[in-house]
């Protein structure tokens, strides 16, 4: 009996040690593979930057050397996301020469869930391609909302003439993350910078995108349009418009802002007041917004910040 128990114990311990050794070896190999991939991506990005900066028009077929397709795709997506509009033609030439769109979209077709969304997100960062957008139409109705969104981004980038129309026609309500992602298209020259028609459109998604443009560039001559949103927009847009007015150091004592803020729940009002405190408003500038006892609370918030607020 004792010998049988000892045998079983020895086998169990040996199996546990073997499993631990295999796990450690797999982790070591994984780290080595990750470091090698990072080195390949860094070298690939360097070669892409040299091709983009070349004085003469390069030959794009094999212009950056022989790298794995996944490394080329990831490096080109990084470069396209960080280089200016003047580089877009050469980046598109590299993408066509190395069939980057085919690589990413074939991986996306064979993948599921967040892995598919990752491949589509990299495709959305590449120079616009109408053929790639046509191949991504199938993903616009995917069950994963991130897959749907990045397929939508590819469709937006492929046709800048219809970007705003597509944005207005989409049924899903954009989140702040979505609006920030769409701003990358604006920096690449895909979406227009005409923020006033967006703010006055009456469409929630367009108004949110317009406010994102105003916030990004610090535009201060849109106070009237923002006040119109405070008076009659969606509830979440009204709060965003008030916070944006505070970020732009607008006049917060106007009746539209005063009536809206005073009607909010206590927790929401205090959150807005904290935002105004960071923006540099004094308690006297916000006196019209306060209910009973809130001025003393706001002044205590002001004293908690480690800077002088006038």
């Amino acid at each position: 009996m004792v010998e049988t128990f000892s045998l079983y114990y020895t086998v169990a311990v040996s199996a546990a040690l073997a499993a631990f050794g295999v796990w450690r070896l797999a982790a070591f190999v994984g780290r080595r593979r990750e470091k090698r991939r990072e080195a390949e991506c860094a070298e690939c990005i360097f070669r892409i930057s040299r091709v983009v900066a070349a004085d003469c028009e390069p030959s794009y077929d094999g212009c950056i050397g022989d790298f794995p397709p996944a490394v080329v795709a990831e490096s080109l997506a990084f470069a396209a996301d960080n280089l200016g509009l003047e580089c877009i033609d050469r980046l598109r030439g590299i993408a066509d020469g190395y069939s980057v769109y085919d690589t990413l979209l074939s991986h996306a077709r064979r993948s599921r869930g967040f892995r598919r969304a990752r491949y589509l997100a990299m495709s959305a960062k590449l120079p616009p391609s109408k053929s790639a957008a046509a191949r991504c139409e199938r993903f616009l109705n995917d069950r994963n909302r991130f897959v749907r969104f990045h397929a939508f981004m590819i469709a937006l980038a492929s046709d800048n003439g219809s970007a705003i129309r597509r944005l207005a026609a989409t049924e899903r309500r954009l989140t702040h993350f979505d609006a920030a992602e769409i701003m990358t298209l604006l920096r690449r020259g895909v979406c227009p910078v005409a923020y006033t028609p967006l703010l006055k459109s009456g469409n929630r998604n367009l108004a949110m995108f317009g406010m994102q443009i105003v916030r990004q560039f610090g535009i201060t001559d849109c106070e009237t349009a923002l006040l119109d949103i405070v008076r009659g927009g969606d509830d979440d847009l009204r709060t965003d418009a008030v916070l944006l007015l505070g970020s732009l150091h607008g006049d917060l004592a106007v009746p539209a802002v005063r009536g809206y803020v005073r009607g909010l729940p206590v927790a929401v009002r205090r959150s807005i007041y904290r935002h105004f405190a960071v923006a540099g408003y004094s308690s006297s500038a916000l006196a019209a917004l306060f209910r009973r006892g809130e001025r003393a609370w706001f002044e205590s918030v002001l004293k908690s910040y480690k800077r002088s607020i006038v």
Side-chain angles (χ1 to χ4, degrees):
M1 182 69 180
V2 175
E3 293 178 355
T4 304
F5 176 78
S6 299
L7 178 62
Y8 287 157
Y9 177 78
T10 303
V11 171
V13 171
S14 300
L17 290 176
F20 179 75
V22 170
W23 175 74
R24 292 291 296 174
L25 179 61
F28 174 75
V29 172
R31 287 195 298 271
R32 289 288 299 272
R33 185 183 295 115
E34 184 178 352
K35 288 182 179 180
R36 183 169 64 250
R37 184 181 180 86
E38 289 177 354
E40 288 177 339
C41 286
E43 177 64 21
C44 188
I45 292 170
F46 173 71
R47 295 191 184 186
I48 289 172
S49 64
R50 285 201 311 180
V51 172
V52 169
D55 293 332
C56 58
E57 187 71 16
S59 173
Y60 295 111
D61 189 12
C63 62
I64 59 175
D66 186 16
F67 290 97
V71 171
V72 176
E74 187 172 343
S75 303
L76 194 60
F78 177 85
D81 197 33
N82 288 275
L83 295 178
L85 290 174
E86 65 277 4
C87 308
I88 194 167
D89 291 332
R90 294 196 175 185
L91 292 175
R92 182 183 288 109
I94 297 173
D96 293 339
Y98 281 83
S99 302
V100 175
Y101 294 107
D102 294 336
T103 299
L104 290 174
L105 295 181
S106 63
H107 282 309
R109 188 177 62 254
R110 295 193 299 267
S111 303
R112 293 290 184 273
F114 289 103
R115 188 180 294 273
R116 171 179 288 175
R118 178 175 178 270
Y119 290 125
L120 292 178
M122 285 195 290
S123 300
K125 293 178 181 179
L126 296 176
S129 168
K130 291 188 176 182
S131 61
R135 294 169 61 183
C136 288
E137 290 286 340
R138 58 185 295 183
F139 300 127
L140 291 173
N141 297 317
D142 195 272
R143 290 181 296 178
N144 187 298
R145 73 180 186 90
F146 294 103
V147 171
R148 294 196 304 270
F149 174 71
H150 289 298
F152 177 67
M153 287 281 288
I154 295 173
L156 280 183
S158 66
D159 187 4
N160 56 3
S162 65
I164 296 302
R165 178 179 54 80
R166 281 180 174 269
L167 192 59
T170 182
E171 296 179 359
R172 67 186 299 264
R173 294 168 66 90
L174 295 181
T175 65
H176 292 288
F177 167 78
D178 297 339
E181 282 291 303
I182 295 174
M183 281 294 297
T184 62
L185 299 182
L186 185 145
R187 290 194 290 269
R188 289 160 52 187
V190 173
C191 291
V193 196
Y195 57 90
T196 303
L198 299 177
L199 295 175
K200 295 182 177 181
S201 65
N203 180 281
R204 180 196 175 277
N205 289 339
L206 294 183
M208 173 176 279
F209 183 50
M211 286 195 290
Q212 190 73 22
I213 295 175
V214 171
R215 184 179 294 108
Q216 179 78 21
F217 295 102
I219 301 169
T220 57
D221 60 350
C222 57
E223 185 171 335
T224 302
L226 291 176
L227 289 175
D228 289 339
I229 294 176
V230 175
R231 293 186 186 99
D234 286 1
D235 287 340
D236 55 343
L237 288 185
R238 297 174 74 187
T239 302
D240 286 346
V242 170
L243 295 176
L244 184 53
L245 283 169
S247 298
L248 299 175
H249 301 283
D251 183 9
L252 300 177
V254 295
V257 176
R258 183 173 66 248
Y260 175 67
V261 173
R262 288 176 65 89
L264 292 172
V266 176
V268 179
R269 285 204 312 275
R270 291 195 171 189
S271 175
I272 292 175
Y273 293 154
R274 292 189 188 95
H275 180 90
F276 293 159
V278 175
Y281 283 89
S282 65
S283 59
S284 59
L286 303 178
L289 305 182
F290 294 138
R291 288 186 173 185
R292 179 176 299 180
E294 287 185 335
R295 181 163 186 161
W297 175 87
F298 182 76
E299 289 176 350
S300 70
V301 172
L302 292 183
K303 294 176 182 178
S304 68
Y305 286 89
K306 297 180 180 180
R307 62 186 176 83
S308 176
I309 299 179
V310 179

